Amino acid sequence: MAREGGPAPTESPTVRPRLRLRPTMLSDLDFVISVETDAQNLPFITPWERTQHEGAVRFPDFRHFIVEAGETYESAGFVILQGCRNPHGSVELKRVVLQPKGRGLGRECVRQLKRMAFRDLHAHRLWLDVKQLNTRALALYQSEGFVEEGRLRESVRVTADGVDGYDSLIVMSMLDREYAARVALRLEIL
């Protein structure tokens, strides 16, 4: 549900951070839980129990990856796609959780996940939901071609800094033809 991101410096599609996605192993789950429950990420996501992550690693409908970045490909976060076997071709970008922030890793992750969804999984639709308070992620998704479909008003409880309230989820998506148009315009790299 949560996404790291935000406005990154303007960059051409060919200038990309050194980043790769590798399948998550059960031995990676301590790292996954630590990143997910970090104070910088917690306001933007609803953390999963360890057993939920174990299921996502094992169940073929999911793609759970460790994000490795930098010259030595150190662990920098994790991402999850869900609905990879959806008969309607509707794949959910379930989670993007990264550390550190502000290095363009979120943008490159989203680009790799779009490529995977449309090229490898033959998705018709890639969708996500993001908390309204996560303005960095919203700006990232908009700049990467996702279109707002609607809002689930005050659908998630938020407790932070002694405040107890609700936030809305914004549902966004991209269709295969929209992705293809971005490829034709060289906004995406195959």
Side-chain angles (χ1 to χ4, degrees):
M1 280 195 258
R3 319 290 185 245
E4 187 277 337
T10 303
E11 57 187 65
S12 80
T14 58
V15 177
R16 300 166 27 188
R18 189 173 171 100
L19 182 140
R20 68 182 176 200
L21 305 178
R22 74 161 169 82
T24 303
M25 313 260 294
L26 293 176
S27 59
D28 294 315
L29 292 184
D30 286 340
F31 169 75
V32 167
I33 299 298
S34 72
V35 173
E36 190 172 57
T37 57
D38 183 87
Q40 288 184 3
N41 294 321
L42 212 45
F44 305 116
I45 60 176
T46 303
W48 278 6
E49 298 288 329
R50 184 183 189 91
T51 54
Q52 290 174 287
H53 285 289
E54 288 172 1
V57 167
R58 292 181 172 149
F59 191 58
D61 192 51
F62 288 83
R63 298 291 187 276
H64 199 302
F65 295 100
I66 296 295
V67 177
E68 297 176 327
E71 292 300 315
T72 59
Y73 289 115
E74 292 184 36
S75 296
F78 70 97
V79 296
I80 303 171
L81 290 178
Q82 183 176 349
C84 298
R85 291 187 168 186
N86 182 299
H88 307 289
S90 186
V91 175
E92 180 182 3
L93 198 172
K94 184 67 175 171
R95 183 125 335 144
V96 175
V97 184
L98 300 168
Q99 283 180 303
K101 313 251 185 256
R103 293 183 12 205
L105 299 179
R107 182 171 305 281
E108 181 58 22
C109 278
V110 168
R111 288 179 179 174
Q112 286 192 29
L113 292 168
K114 286 190 292 184
R115 237 182 345 269
M116 184 182 300
F118 293 115
R119 184 189 66 195
D120 302 338
L121 299 173
H122 308 290
H124 168 66
R125 176 175 177 266
L126 178 62
W127 71 280
L128 57 91
D129 60 57
V130 58
K131 288 182 180 179
Q132 182 174 310
L133 65 84
N134 195 347
T135 56
R136 289 178 58 146
L138 278 169
L140 171 65
Y141 297 133
Q142 289 167 343
S143 72
E144 284 296 314
F146 284 86
V147 176
E148 182 176 329
E149 292 185 343
R151 293 173 186 246
L152 306 174
R153 297 181 317 140
E154 296 187 11
S155 57
V156 290
R157 189 169 206 148
V158 177
T159 54
D161 299 325
V163 176
D164 187 10
Y166 292 89
D167 193 16
S168 299
L169 289 175
I170 299 172
V171 178
M172 305 179 84
S173 72
M174 177 179 287
L175 302 177
D176 52 1
R177 64 182 170 270
E178 294 165 339
Y179 181 75
R182 289 178 60 85
V183 169
L185 292 171
R186 299 183 142 196
L187 298 171
E188 305 285 349
I189 297 173
L190 290 176

